[in-house]
Amino acid sequence: MNKSRRGFIKNISAVGLSTAICPTFLSCINKNSNVDYLKEKINKIELFLYDINIPRYFSFGTWLNRQHLFMKISSGSHYGWSEIPASRNNPNEDLSSWVNYVKQYKGLSIGAAQKLLQTQQVEDTKTSLKELELMDIGLLDLAGRLQQKPAIELLGLNHREPLPGLYCILHKDEDKVREEAQKSLEQNLGHHMKFKMFGDKEIDLRLLCIIREVLSEKAIVIADVNKGYKKWESLEALADIMNTFKDNGLNAIEDSAPLTTEEWIALQKMTGDLDLIPDVPMRQAWKGIGRLQQGMGRIVNLHPSTMGSFTHTALLANKVQEIKAKVMIGDDSLAGPACSAWQQIAIGTGAVWVEALEKKEDSKNYMDCLISSPAKKEANGYFSLKPAPGFGLKLDTDRLKKVSALYIEA
């Protein structure tokens, strides 16, 4: 064990240490839990390539198309679903590395698969965070179904209250921003809005004003800058920009600039009621636990595809609440099974909102395959949960094969 790993384990709670030893499932330390499921073997792993050819625009560039991988991992009649964005702007993506990664789990018992995943969820891991999360969601779903327990219960996440969905706008074009803001109202999601800022005060302010024109005064409006404000001469100057946004109706801002922990804390003090949201500093979850300090923001983004471990994500969520901050669940432009998983994690952590939503256009073919999900969007745009074993998704696998660009049995 290297020094950084040893230091991490020394700094987490007793429960955290237990879950770090068995990182995928909290129930591993429950004496009353059924351990027979650990002996069940993974006998089938299926991959579905789900192509999305709808552009998405960011401050750092454009995704013209995306290649998502859905995974079904089975043990007898039980299974788990997962999803990860495998590639962007690469419609001819070679999936061999993904196939080789998941293949090592085939034939293993659930217990052995958990242990293998644990060896990869370390600070100096050579496994990508996306590979880790693809397998973690699937294993967690499968183990929950085998034990007849919800996945969030296995993670020790005890909240069950509905929470709002967060509509996200990525456009720079002002007409498109207005159009998307109107769409949020049509989908009953206009109460919570997130939009991309581009690190240019004049442009960003115009976009904010358009959104405020369309939405009600009660709407919560959040901006994500992806650390776009880089040319400030002093923290006071950066605070002036942030306060201008606040005075024009912005409620919270995510990753406004590259900041040290001390600068995060100081900037939050300078911006009053504007909630700062650290995102990048929380990646990976095991690093975020060590980095997070009281005062460096009032809301913390736990971002899909960057956490690397759901056990550590649960521990990080607990630490957020211990320092009197709030959790939000972000998005990685997810379109399928991972949306439901992250919605359930959001509800389980008592998050202020969840951004990982099925998208009307991106998710259309997937939604045609969806039979049922424990997480449900209500008429008011909030997401509720009727807990089911694992993450509880039911999909028409045969139909999914037909709408997928490629089907592979690993």
Side-chain angles (χ1 to χ4, degrees), residues 47 49 67 69 86 93-100 406 408:
L47 295 175
L49 179 61
Q67 297 74 45
L69 270 183
E93 167 75 358
D94 181 3
L95 299 178
S96 58
S97 64
W98 292 95
V99 174
N100 290 334
L406 187 65
I408 301 171

Side-chain angles (χ1 to χ4, degrees), residues 113-224:
Q114 290 180 22
K115 289 178 181 177
L116 175 59
L117 184 60
Q118 175 197 354
T119 65
Q120 299 166 352
Q121 291 171 318
V122 293
E123 184 133 348
D124 56 353
T125 183
K126 295 181 180 178
T127 308
S128 77
L129 295 176
K130 291 192 174 187
E131 288 172 330
L132 294 177
E133 289 195 21
L134 176 69
M135 187 53 63
D136 210 343
I137 291 178
L139 272 180
L140 187 54
D141 191 9
L142 175 58
R145 296 185 201 235
L146 284 165
Q147 297 176 83
Q148 290 296 297
K149 292 182 179 180
I152 57 174
E153 180 181 323
L154 298 183
L155 289 168
L157 302 176
N158 300 316
H159 291 269
R160 298 293 182 269
E161 302 83 9
L163 80 172
L166 181 67
Y167 194 95
C168 188
I169 298 177
L170 304 173
H171 295 281
K172 196 174 189 177
D173 180 271
E174 294 178 18
D175 291 336
K176 287 286 188 182
V177 169
R178 188 179 299 276
E179 180 184 330
E180 286 295 320
Q182 291 287 355
K183 283 184 182 179
S184 75
L185 296 174
E186 294 166 9
Q187 297 178 32
N188 295 324
L189 290 168
H191 42 67
H192 287 76
M193 170 67 69
K194 176 175 170 179
F195 74 102
K196 292 294 180 183
M197 283 187 169
F198 296 88
D200 182 309
K201 182 181 176 181
E202 292 184 6
I203 293 173
D204 294 342
L205 187 56
R206 285 201 300 270
L207 299 181
L208 171 60
C209 290
I210 289 169
I211 288 169
R212 271 297 172 201
E213 284 174 17
V214 176
L215 303 185
S216 73
E217 292 182 2
K218 294 182 179 179
I220 303 297
V221 179
I222 304 105
D224 182 2

Side-chain angles (χ1 to χ4, degrees), residues 327-354:
V327 169
M328 70 162 280
I329 298 299
D331 192 17
D332 190 27
S333 299
L334 299 168
C339 290
S340 181
W342 280 102
Q343 289 159 17
Q344 293 177 56
I345 288 169
I347 291 171
T349 59
V352 287
W353 53 70
V354 58

Side-chain angles (χ1 to χ4, degrees), residues 268-328:
Q268 181 64 90
K269 290 177 181 177
M270 295 178 188
T271 53
D273 294 337
L274 181 68
D275 294 331
L276 301 187
I277 305 176
D279 171 6
V280 172
M282 296 301 103
R283 307 176 185 185
Q284 305 87 0
W286 51 81
K287 289 184 179 179
I289 292 168
R291 288 184 183 138
L292 182 61
Q293 292 188 28
Q294 189 161 13
M296 67 180 293
R298 297 197 186 99
I299 302 171
V300 175
N301 187 5
L302 308 185
H303 193 291
S305 301
T306 70
M307 293 289 97
S309 160
F310 285 94
T311 294
H312 292 93
T313 298
L315 291 173
L316 178 54
N318 288 340
K319 183 170 181 181
V320 171
Q321 291 155 355
E322 285 171 5
I323 66 169
K324 310 301 182 187
K326 298 176 182 178
V327 169
M328 70 162 280

